[in-house]
Amino acid sequence: MNTWYLSPILDQYFGTGGYAVVGVLGIALLAAWLASVLFTALPWPRRVALAGLRLGVIVLLIMAMLRPARMTIESRPQPATLLVLLDRSRSMTVKDAFGGHTRWEAMKKAFDDAGPALAKLTGNKSYEVKPYAFDADAVAIEFDGKRIVLGSAPNGDQTAIGMAMQDVVRREGTKRLLGLILASDGAMNTIGASSVLPQSEARALANLNCPIFAVPFGQRTGGGQDADVEVESMPDDLRVFVKNEVTVSGTVRIWGYINRDIPVQLLCEREPGKPEPVAATVLRAVRDGEQLRYELHYTPQEPGEYRLIVRAAVQEGEKATDNNELSTYLTVLPGGLRVLYLEGEARPEQKFLRRALSSSPDINVTLKWIRPTDRTRWPLKSIDGEPIADYFQPGKFDVYVIGDLDSAALTNEDWGLLKQTVLRGAGLLMLGGWHSYWPGGYQNTPLVDIMPIAFDRQLDSTIRQKWETYVPPDYHLEGDQKMRPAEPFGSRHYLMQLAPGGANAEAWRRLPPLDGANRFRGVRQGGIVLAETESGLPLLAAAEPGGRVLCFAGDSTWRWAMHNQDAQHRRFWRQVALWLARKDTVTKGSVGINLDSRRFMPGMAIHFAAGARTAEGTELSGAAYTAQLVLPNGTRRPIMPRQHGDEIEGEITDKLPPGQYTIEVTATSAAAALGTARARFLVYEKDLELTNATADPALMASLADATKAQGGRVVQPEELPKLLAELAARPVDVETKVQVRQTYYDQWYVFVALVGLMSVEWFLRKRWRLV
């Protein structure tokens, strides 16, 4: 089919107005031509000859300005491309191929044997072969039409099958793909940006109607793990308060050392380069490739940040020894506030209260469930294997919280121990609930002597809430109970400050009401009411019999957090904990850094966030931050973070060499320094290829199966020539429509004609002595 069309000059500026431009220029040329014919003194024969030559030049110029062209649509056979992906990672050096050869040697032989079949395939001009070698990425390699040149031994540190498939499809995907031959051991070992799922790329190839021919190499049971001890995991980041025990647990996988004792140590590096063993254990595998769990314990005696190392002893014959240890960092917090929370009922209040306290890095909450469903065993003698008396020893915890827990859960002897601990300085908080206070029988325990709320011994000794029965209204306040600071103490007390200055009253008014509460009759001598209902009934009472004691009638402050008052909810409970522990005079804020991880491999992106908090634990607005990366040699390099709300976020994308690094963030506000935070992390080298060298033919089969409908399948190395012969025999039955554009105004003969006409005219004018 032929289509003629014009494309006048300047149409890119004037559109169809280009025809008008050509028309004006054409009329001007014809007018000049006509004037030269009519108004000249030459004889008519000469006049006609020159006019004819000039008219030819004008016609050629107008044609050049109109730029005529012809568009022809032709059908042509579409050539097909066969992609070949060859694994050049170091796991291919494992000697588990037939005859004691390496996987790489087996692959080279397979493709050398397939050379004649490759030559026959490329001999057909309708096909082309594009080979690539890959490890972390794919690189085109030499192909002379007969033989793929694989080069020397493989040295790739990763096997990124998914990334390689994505890369070659991006380069060659616009072509008609005959298929993809994937030759690999299937041992996927990737980090960072190379971690693309090959299954997703296989589905993408299926959508392109491209079959995958998977050629597997290596044995499922052989190779790199025949003699290896690998520390697979350990906690990534650890925090503990000084003189508290930290547990370090993880897994070790053992290949080739069956029924042999493998010593495993926990080392603490207090000074650079001087790790000291602090715990040890022994592991023994009873089957090859067994994964064993370890658990090591350590109690730091001084605050600071230390490097912890879990190290498995190197065994004779190990190929890869850099996987025998893992490291992380332990942050030991000074003077941390330790809270023991005893709860009986699974209720929303405990979840939100614990979250509010745990949001402060200096508060450590230990929750112990004493479920009423187990009350046939009450009173308990121990919790989680530890005697009750141990929990109530002076100095064990700074603050004790008793939730909706019936007093019958523990003995009066144990409640007496808790009373003595509070008298010696510990804080005590009792929360409202169906089995708190008098309904829970606490009037008959030693704790009644230190509570700030009033009671009547004769009357209250008979009050008791029975299990799963009617709740007498005399015990509780029903319905919504709006909480507000009580006068004269509440509005000025540290606990009740939700906002600075005059905004505090408004902050309390915005809080949603509590859902019911325990009924308090008042406070005893020495106690004060800090919060009350709108009708004046006490909700929060305080006393200081030695340590500090709070009695809170409510159990639904979680409503505050659920109604967009989460900041006030966190602030209230943090202030409760600090006041009970006598830390309410602390005025120092803090700067903190959060790292996604403390361990990275070279090439992995390192993300961090940092922010500043006030002494009350709320985020500080308007602070300015500077960030630096401290290299292992002490050199400092600036980091350019981005602002995200009241915090900053940063990312290090450089491929850092192995070593210990530090991110340092300094915060300032109104030209005053708020503080500096430091977070260390480790970049460590791990031989992924020899650590995880086990061939995975199942993965290779799954990739081929994803394109089964397109003809994909698993092909054994010796079957490669047969596969290539099949591909070469396929008819080229795919045609493509090609538009062929033929122009005439810019051809050589137009130029020759124009020059010829002008030359003849010049010759005649010269001959007739007109110039």
Side-chain angles (χ1 to χ4, degrees), residues 135-310:
D135 43 33
D137 50 19
V139 177
I141 57 176
E142 183 181 349
F143 175 60
D144 59 8
K146 297 180 181 179
R147 180 173 173 269
I148 296 175
V149 181
L150 285 175
S152 58
N155 57 5
D157 293 328
Q158 298 181 50
T159 306
I161 296 176
M163 176 61 77
M165 293 169 66
Q166 183 185 84
D167 195 15
V168 297
V169 169
R170 186 164 46 238
R171 299 187 200 182
E172 311 288 349
T174 56
K175 303 176 181 178
R176 177 195 169 204
L177 299 180
L178 182 63
L180 169 68
I181 295 178
L182 175 61
S184 172
D185 55 15
M188 277 282 292
N189 298 304
T190 62
I191 59 171
S194 300
S195 301
V196 176
L197 289 176
Q199 293 84 351
S200 299
E201 299 309 311
R203 290 191 291 270
L205 283 167
N207 292 334
L208 293 173
N209 198 34
C210 175
I212 296 175
F213 304 106
V215 185
F217 292 90
Q219 303 293 324
R220 174 71 184 175
T221 59
Q225 285 75 31
D226 282 348
D228 190 56
V229 178
E230 178 189 3
V231 179
E232 288 188 321
S233 65
M234 72 176 297
D236 188 67
D237 190 10
L238 293 167
R239 289 175 178 267
V240 69
F241 291 101
V242 66
K243 298 184 180 179
N244 280 4
E245 184 179 82
V246 61
T247 299
V248 181
S249 60
T251 58
V252 173
R253 191 176 295 275
I254 300 174
W255 294 86
Y257 299 106
I258 302 173
N259 295 321
R260 182 185 296 189
D261 288 342
I262 307 295
V264 178
Q265 285 185 317
L266 176 65
L267 301 99
C268 179
E269 187 178 86
R270 299 179 182 87
E271 299 180 26
K274 296 181 179 180
E276 300 175 356
V278 293
T281 188
V282 174
L283 302 178
R284 176 183 284 259
V286 296
R287 62 180 183 274
D288 204 23
E290 185 176 3
Q291 185 187 67
L292 301 174
R293 187 167 185 81
Y294 66 85
E295 188 171 291
L296 300 164
H297 304 276
Y298 171 52
T299 303
Q301 299 300 311
E302 296 179 359
E305 187 177 62
Y306 308 109
R307 181 186 176 197
L308 292 183
I309 305 166
V310 173

Side-chain angles (χ1 to χ4, degrees), residues 58 70 83 152 160 188 205 215 283 333 405 496 519 539 711 723 753:
I58 292 172
R70 183 181 66 170
L83 303 175
S152 58
M188 277 282 292
L205 283 167
V215 185
L283 302 178
L333 301 173
L405 177 66
M496 305 302 291
R519 186 184 294 274
L539 288 175
L723 169 66

